[in-house]
Amino acid sequence: MLTSLGESRSSRKPDHLLQTPDTFIRTPLPAADGVEFIVHAAPQLGAAFSWMTAEFKEGGTLPPALPGLQRFVYVLEGELEFEVAGEGLSATLTPGQYAFDPDGMARQFRASVQSRVVVIEKRYEGITGSLQDAPGRAFVGDESSLPSESLGGDSALQVKRLMPDGPAWDFAVNTMTYDPGASLAMVEVHVMEHGLLMLEGGGIYRLGDNWYPVSAGDFIWMAPYCPQWFGALGKIPAKYLIYKDWYRHPLGA
Ligand code: UGY
Ligand code: MN
């Protein structure tokens, strides 16, 4: 289908990427059967983590994460069976539910029906000489049952934290939900980088010196120090899933 004469809202700048669904390219990856991947963010882009959408056929499976990599999965559509070898932890995850595997010990990531799943991976950054040389334990969770908090006292902007907080955890994954008309109170400029998937609604995202219309399905990467701001537009709340590196000294271990 010819959608445009070379036009897209997608934009790649040194400090950010807006990737809209019309520009998604699918790829297979080794040892993943019945799964195709859209690789949204990766070191090739300048990111220190990877963020993929995994599109499973019924019965599709992911191999364990590569050595040293933590994996966080969040189900967008369908049903994902998650089972951790030897730990008695197993769950069937449905949309809004998620799981964390610290070190590739999960034995099973299998879709029982056609499914779409966010897969975020990051090499664990230990803290030399401390107990935090190893990442935290595997867990599963459900976004809908998490408490939410107002950001900076603004009840029109609600944040849910999907990862535990503490020195064993070197990244955070949150959802942020904006009532129509709500916005970040300030332009943020910070050392952490972000990956972000618009889940619902839309608005205007400022990235660097650009203001982009964005809506559900769009992916954004922001490099460290990329100036950023979002304002929600439309008649329904805007919601996104956002990753950031967290709780580590900038000069490393
Ligand atoms: O956590 C954050 O840095 C978040 N407020 N950033 C963002 O929404 N762009
Ligand atoms: Mn931010």
Side-chain angles (χ1 to χ4, degrees), residues 151 161 174 176 178 184 188 190 192 194 196 205 222 228-230 240 242 244:
L151 188 69
R161 300 176 198 284
N174 301 332
M176 297 182 60
Y178 297 71
L184 284 175
E188 298 180 3
H190 51 62
M192 300 83 76
H194 283 310
L196 181 163
Y205 229 107
M222 298 169 230
Q228 59 200 255
W229 176 89
F230 179 69
Y240 54 73
I242 184 167
K244 64 181 165 187

Side-chain angles (χ1 to χ4, degrees), residues 14-110:
D15 66 350
H16 65 266
L17 170 70
L18 167 63
Q19 194 186 30
T20 60
D22 54 304
T23 58
F24 292 172
I25 295 291
R26 274 105 185 140
T27 178
L29 290 178
D33 293 324
V35 191
E36 285 196 312
F37 299 86
I38 304 155
V39 182
H40 300 289
Q44 290 83 345
L45 176 65
F49 68 105
S50 66
W51 181 313
M52 305 188 248
T53 299
E55 296 179 335
F56 292 76
K57 291 187 185 141
E58 181 182 332
T61 56
L62 289 188
L66 297 173
L69 293 188
Q70 309 168 88
R71 175 183 284 165
F72 176 92
V73 295
Y74 179 94
V75 177
L76 297 169
E77 274 174 39
E79 214 170 70
L80 187 73
E81 293 163 7
F82 173 77
E83 189 177 329
V84 181
E87 294 221 346
L89 176 62
S90 75
T92 300
L93 307 171
T94 53
Q97 297 184 329
Y98 52 91
F100 172 75
D101 176 13
D103 52 11
M105 66 185 177
R107 179 147 60 90
Q108 177 119 291
F109 293 92
R110 179 182 178 278

Side-chain angles (χ1 to χ4, degrees), residues 150-164:
S150 302
L151 188 69
D154 180 359
S155 62
L157 205 183
Q158 294 292 319
V159 181
K160 291 187 175 189
R161 300 176 198 284
L162 279 53
M163 293 286 292

